[in-house]
Amino acid sequence: MIAEAVKPTLGPLPRFVGIAGMSRDRPPELLDDAATIARRIIQIADPTADVGAMMMRHALWRMHETCGDGSATMATIAQALVQEATKAIAAGAHPALLRKGIELGLARASEALRAGAFRPTDGRRSHERLATLAKSACHDAELRDVLVEVVGILGPDGAIHVVSNHARCVDREYIEGAMWDSPWLTTGFATDAAQSVARISDAAVILLDGKLDSAVNALEGLKRLYGFGHRSVLIVAGDLSDEAKAALIQAKLSGAMSILPVKAPGFGATRAVALQDLAVLTGARVLFGDSAAFAQVAPEDVGSVRRAWATARQFGIIGGKRDPVALRSSIASVRRKIDETANLEEIAELRMRLGRLCGGLAIVRVGGATNKIQESRRDEAVRLSRMLQMAVGRGYVAGGGAALFKVAQSLLSDLSRSGDRAHDDVAFGARCLARALEAPLMTIAANAGFDPAEVAGQVRAALRADPRACYGFDARSGRVGDMLAAGIVDSAEVIERAVRVAGSLAATAITTDAVVHHRKPALATNP
Amino acid sequence: MNWKHFDEPAAIFALAPQPGGACLAATEQGLWQFDPRGGGWQPIAPQLAHVPLTAVAACGPTWLIGSNGDIAFSRDGGQNWQLANLPVKARVLGLVVSPQFERDGVALAATAEDGVLRSADHGVTWHAWNYGLLDLGINAIAVSPDFGEDATCFAASDHAVFMSVNGGRAWQELPAPMAAGPFTSLAVAMTRRGPTLYVGAEGSGLWASAAPYEAWQQIKGLRAGEVNFVLPGWAATTAGVYVAAGRRWRVALRRPDVVCMALLDDGALVAGTAGGGVWYGAAD
């Protein structure tokens, strides 16, 4: 039922779905976003159907949160797959063997999608593809144009921080180097009092895990640094006692050294990670302990940066003396963690870390006429930036369901060549998946007012004539043609994930035999 | 090729070709200009005579020079000079301008510690654009001949080669073999099959990769050693200057001290040496 509700939203000519208001004094909502529609459906009257519907609702919302797109595609594939598999089960196929076939087909489909993905190597084409993809996914032209620019500049790994704007417009700011939301430890070191900012250049870097709490040790550490030839120092410390603060200010006023003490970012484990990243970026070694460790500082403990700045809220470094091998190893490790984790907050934090390590951060300020509109535009900005970064990172496939249709034909042709028999339930599972992969293209045609079976027949014939092209259906012009030549593309990763989630959902659904109900289940407004 | 040696100017760090078979040289004694019709090298811009220059680029009457800390520009063919606005006192190791410089005003600078600096206003103001540039010590920089269309440029560091497809504002590391570095020079040649990137390495010779720059091939025929400078079809190494003849490379000049080269628009080659003086090679 949920799939039926979201299918009309698929394609460039979607239809609206009306959702009745929660109370009679509210008008019905007209929505064209699959995930929002799914979010509005909080219960189905039939308790057994409700279990499946809530699984679908959860999967739709996860697609929306992790990829920012592909929810309707996923629901369409999942529904078609369940229907195909249910027919097969009714005809006597074993659900477990069907599941095995679906999983084998999923692996081959993923591989084919990955192999067929392309990334434009020249800037103009890359920008064009990104703009086309953004246009198909977002109707807010101002927001879209800013995000295409930001993602085009930062690439797949840059950190994009979406915040509210005081003005109504959308604006962006690029931050050079790496930045942490951690303040200076005292205002006494501001170099530009009017702008409340402290800046130093060609500075030594000291990373102290604990509190710098002794004036004697602070001065001893500074003396050693002076002896090593440093005349400017950035001290990242857990905290600073009043006594040590006074000693540092006194040293600064003497004019012998420029000093900038900032608070080590985060707490506990997050602080350890932040200090480790700082160490990689600056070549410093983290000093564990308190001010005694600072007093014993050795030349190999000291890192360096070209420039550093701090305000009452943040500090940043630009151009650190980085260890090339350690930096690349840290970046690879963060990328691996992003791929492995499912927690969205953790992914957001890891992306920020990746942005710092790669030296890229953009702040996108989103405004709106009302608070509600601003909030909705901010959510849209987060969703769109995620989707565009995925596309830049993993590439594109032919859009409008064409890539999936082509993979389906290839799967069916492989199955025919291997001579699968009607009673081979595993092969039948793979065949069910192949049929389901044709569903998005047919749904797009149906939503645009065309006969889906006729369109599918035309695309099949075109693919038979030229198997290397990516034929699909351009719903706007009503013609079958090469989607890549027409500039109609989808993000490869979004489509691959949609297939995987749909396959997993359908496989679970067909192998679920019994449902246990709670007497009074609580309603969940959030999926 | 017929080679002719000119004693002047002093140690040369960079050359920039000019229209009409002329050439500019950034030397340890300021800026020099070569005019084959006017009798060789002449020092120009007397105000720069004692400034060691490390980089030079030119497009029409706009000339850019880099030194240990500054970039300066001239709008009138070197008569008047102004210091550019830099975010930091940067040691400039290389300068390139967009092939459409007069229209887009884009210039890029490779720096020893501050990554890549980019100007989009004909060299007046410069900003560091180092997103994705994991190494900030950039030895060489090059732009695609089709930069106005594809916005593609390259930067080489001790550890990697980076590519930017948005005109030098964000970078991605190319899958070059890290063991082959340090990478000292870059050149992009337009071939029938599309652009090919040539990368000179300090210890492992010359490498080439065609777009999309995923696989690298070591150029055979060059004696393994330090490659000081690369131009499309030319490589200056510690064993001499090599020229590409079809798929093979052969020695064109047995001089080990060539550190920079410029291909003039009449087809002649100027090879600058670290010890001072240049070799001028014209077709037979």
Side-chain angles (χ1 to χ4, degrees), chain A residues 119 121-124 126 152-155 174-176 306-307 319-320 322 324-325 327-328 331 357-361, chain B residues 87-90 113-114 128-136 149-152 159-160 162 165-166 169-170 173 178 212:
Chain A
R119 277 196 289 180
T121 49
D122 77 67
R124 186 171 54 86
S126 177
I153 287 175
L154 295 191
Y174 297 100
I175 307 289
E176 195 187 346
R306 286 286 280 158
R307 287 175 281 162
R322 45 196 64 183
V325 177
L327 178 59
R328 283 167 174 83
I331 288 170
L357 292 170
C358 293
L361 168 66
Chain B
V88 64
K89 283 273 179 196
E113 290 171 296
D114 300 288
W129 282 96
N130 294 327
Y131 297 126
L133 205 60
L134 303 185
D135 306 316
L136 297 178
E149 278 294 304
D150 63 21
T152 302
H159 310 282
F162 299 90
V165 292
N166 56 14
R169 292 184 295 179
E173 189 172 335
M178 275 188 69

